[in-house]
Amino acid sequence: MLTERQGERLPQWLDAVRQDDLPSLHTLAAGIDRDRDAVIAGLTLPWNSGVLEGHVNRIKVLKRQMFGRAGFDLLRKRSCSPRSHVVSP
């Protein structure tokens, strides 16, 4: 279902999960059910936000490294730098 973009199979999977005796999966199924249309679209459509999420994560790592050390100007300089992907201890 995940690798072959078969989001239309999600309702059957959710029904199968509800019939099993696995309470933790019941919680997962309830969460998925709250936003079923979006989850089906995510499992079906070819678009994703992976690249954007990668950039956001990189900037957050830089921010955490510099916490309390510098202001926005240095954060901006480091996040726009070609070497900004290098993480130093």
Side-chain angles (χ1 to χ4, degrees):
M1 184 168 41
L2 293 173
T3 59
E4 297 175 9
R5 294 194 183 121
Q6 296 178 343
E8 68 277 356
R9 293 177 48 199
L10 182 66
Q12 293 87 6
W13 183 83
L14 290 172
D15 291 339
V17 166
R18 286 188 196 97
Q19 293 172 2
D20 284 340
D21 187 27
L22 299 168
S24 58
L25 282 182
H26 293 178
T27 305
L28 173 66
I32 290 173
D33 233 358
R34 281 192 290 270
D35 207 6
R36 181 186 288 219
D37 292 337
V39 175
I40 289 173
L43 291 171
T44 306
L45 301 174
W47 304 288
N48 68 60
S49 60
V51 173
L52 175 66
E53 293 298 330
H55 289 298
V56 169
N57 188 48
R58 181 177 55 85
I59 290 171
K60 285 182 178 182
V61 167
L62 288 171
K63 179 183 167 191
R64 287 183 190 115
Q65 286 177 335
M66 296 175 13
F67 183 72
R69 298 183 197 163
F72 179 75
D73 291 335
L74 182 57
L75 175 61
R76 181 174 175 200
K77 189 172 184 175
R78 284 201 58 196
S79 65
C80 296
S81 165
R83 291 183 35 86
S84 63
H85 65 281
V86 176
V87 178
S88 60

